[in-house]
Amino acid sequence: MRLFRDCRDDVFDSLMQAAFLQRFPRGVELIRESEPADMLHIIVEGLVQMFASHGGRETTIGFVRPLGTFILAAVLRDQVYLQSARTLERSRVLMIPAERVRSAMAADSGFMSAIVGELAMGYRNTVKELKNQKLRSGPERLANWILRAQRFQGKSDRVAIEMEKRVLAARLGMTPENLSRAFNVLKAYGITVQGAEIRVDSRDRLAAYAKINPLIDDFTT
Amino acid sequence: MRLFRDCRDDVFDSLMQAAFLQRFPRGVELIRESEPADMLHIIVEGLVQMFASHGGRETTIGFVRPLGTFILAAVLRDQVYLQSARTLERSRVLMIPAERVRSAMAADSGFMSAIVGELAMGYRNTVKELKNQKLRSGPERLANWILRAQRFQGKSDRVAIEMEKRVLAARLGMTPENLSRAFNVLKAYGITVQGAEIRVDSRDRLAAYAKINPLIDDFTT
DNA sequence: CGTAGCATTGATGTGGGTCAACGTATGTGG
DNA sequence: CCACATACGTTGACCCACATCAATGCTACG
């Protein structure tokens, strides 16, 4: 994977020697905010939700899918986690002790450079997610999600919802009830839902409503 | 400053040779989102607001005060800015060409290490700001701001608002109207406002309402 | 002084959360 | 294989936080 591409062999071995790969069923809390960051997690398979709580409320901060990492920033600063993580699907996670990551970084500037890139990308994705949340309405976020899923899955006018709707709702920062209502709003723009399948009558009409913005939606920049 | 402490002398010289220090009056847009990241900005004096726009709306993402930096992540990835920045006070800003920062990083692992720390801290502060916004109500955010300002300014029961109220409102993620209302809400917890001065009758009552949370409020962790 | 911008207050609108009821699907045990 | 249980999904009613709009008051500076 990208993170280890420029890693020296001995450093890589040292990391892997201390690492372990573990399977988790769905709905498991992998880390909890306020705990010290003792492991770097790399998600190999599945889907993980990052969230935070305060005063009985909870908010979704983002999602990690293969081969993303968390929580790199806490590991690097040797601090507590600011976020919690739970699996949304059966997942496989590679865990590397934080201490090893820090010493590998000190020993191998190629690895450190990769870490910097990964960290910067995570940072930028968080900023994009924040903009998505604060500058768009619920139905707009859904419209953009559909367009992205369609691009990702192929060019058909059918889009499969590959997770439970309640999970999609959380991912889009809304309640399940409001997700239903958001789908109803999008009916006017040629969207129909049948179970786990979405039909897109007119990509153009949907795109006009969604107001695609590369500074929010592009996951490579 | 911390960012250059472990920097090799020749690398530091190379950075400073290409850098320039500039003064800006209040209300100047220093960078604009979607532009390529050509300069790393280090704020030496003053106050800068980071914000983003989309579809006619605008949202505050955070604030930078001395000796913070922006936009490190964009500079490191050689990408466009995702945020815009404007001065909220007269400010002095040190600007270093992005290319120099990247080559200095490649040449000097001490500097790279400092960059990693700065980037991770910025990342974590953004996450805290996001939690502050999404998990607290407006009056709660104000209460926490008052408590922090009080700690910062001294132990008196008077707290000075050192910026225009409209600026404070933006910083707290609300409109000026709602800031007024938030102050009214806090009357019940012993807060009175007189122009630019806040009086805190009982720190304890305010703190109980504010629900201080180190995972949101501490700026060092 | 007078005026322009800032601050406050009130009225109103809206997005989205919450609660409750009902419908629908899925899987399990008799 | 059916019946029921359990969870998920949808819909409607309602509420709350906050934005918006409009009017007025305040203050500061030329």
Side-chain angles (χ1 to χ4, degrees), chain B residues 66-139:
Chain B
L67 296 161
T69 60
F70 65 91
I71 294 275
L72 191 48
V75 166
L76 295 181
R77 290 194 71 80
D78 196 9
Q79 293 281 0
V80 299
Y81 297 119
L82 296 176
Q83 308 176 52
S84 305
R86 73 165 70 94
T87 55
L88 291 178
E89 305 171 354
R90 289 181 70 247
S91 301
R92 279 193 305 156
V93 182
L94 181 68
M95 294 186 280
I96 308 176
E99 184 42 54
R100 291 278 177 132
V101 175
R102 287 192 293 268
S103 59
M105 221 174 61
D108 180 351
S109 69
F111 181 60
M112 198 199 287
S113 180
I115 288 280
V116 169
E118 174 75 16
L119 184 62
M121 195 181 69
Y123 192 169
R124 284 169 68 80
N125 283 337
T126 299
V127 170
K128 285 176 206 158
E129 192 49 46
L130 194 138
K131 290 171 66 174
N132 193 34
Q133 290 288 333
K134 294 191 67 175
L135 295 172
R136 283 183 173 146
S137 69

Side-chain angles (χ1 to χ4, degrees), chain B residues 118-183:
Chain B
E118 174 75 16
L119 184 62
M121 195 181 69
Y123 192 169
R124 284 169 68 80
N125 283 337
T126 299
V127 170
K128 285 176 206 158
E129 192 49 46
L130 194 138
K131 290 171 66 174
N132 193 34
Q133 290 288 333
K134 294 191 67 175
L135 295 172
R136 283 183 173 146
S137 69
E140 280 173 350
R141 292 198 296 278
L142 175 58
N144 279 286
W145 181 89
I146 293 172
L147 289 168
R148 206 187 309 167
Q150 195 184 24
R151 235 180 306 148
F152 195 75
Q153 287 179 20
K155 306 124 231 322
S156 148
D157 64 340
R158 309 281 159 132
V159 178
I161 305 173
E162 288 163 335
M163 54 189 111
E164 270 176 358
K165 289 215 182 85
R166 53 180 47 242
V167 171
L168 177 58
R171 139 141 243 176
L172 296 174
M174 58 179 102
T175 58
E177 292 96 321
N178 276 320
L179 176 60
S180 279
R181 290 174 188 126
F183 273 121

Side-chain angles (χ1 to χ4, degrees), chain A residues 128 131 213-218 221, chain B residues 33-35 80-82:
Chain A
K128 285 175 206 161
K131 290 170 66 172
N213 181 342
L215 298 182
I216 300 178
D217 303 302
D218 280 8
T221 61
Chain B
E33 55 180 315
S34 87
E35 288 175 354
V80 299
Y81 297 119
L82 296 176

Side-chain angles (χ1 to χ4, degrees), chain A residues 30 43 46-50 62-64 70 85-88 91 93:
Chain A
L30 300 175
I43 172 139
L47 178 62
V48 170
Q49 177 189 29
M50 308 301 307
F63 294 80
V64 186
F70 64 90
R86 74 164 70 94
T87 55
L88 291 178
S91 301
V93 182

Side-chain angles (χ1 to χ4, degrees), chain A residues 4 9 11 14-15 24-25 27 31-32 34 37 40 44 58 69 78 96 107 127 131 154 173-174 181 199 216:
Chain A
F4 300 117
D9 285 351
V11 172
S14 154
L15 285 168
F24 295 97
I31 61 172
R32 196 183 309 247
S34 88
L40 175 65
V44 176
E58 175 182 314
T69 61
D78 196 10
I96 308 176
V127 170
K131 290 170 66 172
M174 59 179 102
R181 292 176 187 123
R199 193 160 55 91
I216 300 178

Side-chain angles (χ1 to χ4, degrees), chain B residues 31-42:
Chain B
I31 62 172
R32 196 184 309 248
E33 55 180 315
S34 87
E35 288 175 354
D38 55 347
M39 292 279 178
L40 176 65
H41 294 65
I42 301 174

